[in-house]
Amino acid sequence: MRVVCKCGHKGRIASREEVTTEFVKLYCQCLDAKCGHTWVANLTFSHTLSPSSQTFERMLIDRLREMPRAKQRELFEQLGTQAVA
């Protein structure tokens, strides 16, 4: 990713602060020594153009990991019973 200073010279991202998984603050510096401008740019998720094929599976795995172990066992027992039936 490239950042450009208001003076027109290239800048660099010195650090970043992840506010959420979809919003990051980028702390930037101008690479022109005469300018020395520093600024914060915001990087945010806008929208999906083509959904990931892993989205549903990833969501399912994440939800399972958040469940208590007893609830996980109960769910897998129900799935095992239904697979046989």
Side-chain angles (χ1 to χ4, degrees):
M1 178 179 187
R2 292 187 184 192
V3 292
V4 178
C5 181
K6 288 185 175 191
C7 72
H9 286 90
K10 291 180 183 178
R12 77 174 188 99
I13 300 168
S15 64
R16 60 192 300 272
E17 176 188 350
E18 189 172 301
V19 179
T20 69
T21 55
E22 296 182 350
F23 182 80
V24 178
K25 290 182 180 181
L26 304 174
Y27 292 84
C28 307
Q29 300 172 328
C30 183
L31 294 177
D32 180 10
K34 293 177 185 175
C35 177
H37 182 213
T38 58
W39 71 96
V40 178
N42 296 322
L43 176 64
T44 184
F45 173 82
S46 174
H47 58 281
T48 300
L49 297 176
S50 176
S52 168
S53 59
Q54 296 178 336
T55 301
F56 178 74
E57 288 123 9
R58 184 80 254 155
M59 181 189 70
L60 185 58
I61 290 168
D62 290 343
R63 291 289 170 108
L64 283 170
R65 286 186 178 149
E66 293 170 3
M67 285 182 171
R69 291 276 185 213
K71 197 73 172 164
Q72 289 178 11
R73 277 189 224 102
E74 180 185 325
L75 181 61
F76 284 115
E77 286 171 4
Q78 289 175 359
L79 289 171
T81 306
Q82 289 178 358
V84 174

